[in-house]
Amino acid sequence: MNAQQLNQLIQGTILLEGNVSTRYTKAFASDLMSDVLRFQMEQTVLVTGLCTIQVLRTAEMSNITCIIFARGKRVTPDMLALAEEHHITLIESALTLFEISGRLYQGGLEPVYR
């Protein structure tokens, strides 16, 4: 699933599209960035309600190239600049983490682990 398809599922807004050729196969939802650092995250979408520069730094270290910010959180200009530098796709959505996770699962994305 590409970023455009993800965005349609969650009725979001793509703020920045990092790498248009990336196909996402997994999703991980967390507000705790230390949990994100525990797993291999290639082709994974991070769904979070945490809207800080720390999320971008964590994504960079974890090879995450798409972040969905839930609950209507707004990305700051600093975050947008850092995402552009590292080719990370950013999407905002008014839906909750629970709603976004359910829609992504129904759309075919798998969890990072079972």
Side-chain angles (χ1 to χ4, degrees), residues 7 42 46-48 58 60 64 69 77 103 108-109:
N7 191 50
E42 281 77 19
L46 173 62
V47 184
T48 185
T58 302
E60 177 192 0
I64 292 172
F69 293 96
R103 289 179 185 210
L109 292 189

Side-chain angles (χ1 to χ4, degrees), residues 53-96:
I53 203 83
Q54 179 190 10
V55 174
L56 276 294
R57 295 287 184 204
T58 302
E60 177 192 0
M61 288 188 289
S62 301
N63 296 322
I64 292 172
T65 59
C66 182
I67 304 169
I68 299 172
F69 293 96
R71 301 188 306 254
K73 299 295 174 89
R74 298 287 179 215
V75 172
T76 65
D78 289 351
M79 294 169 67
L80 201 55
L82 188 59
E84 187 171 14
E85 180 181 328
H86 295 286
H87 310 288
I88 297 172
T89 297
L90 300 182
I91 301 174
E92 291 177 341
S93 175
L95 301 177
T96 66

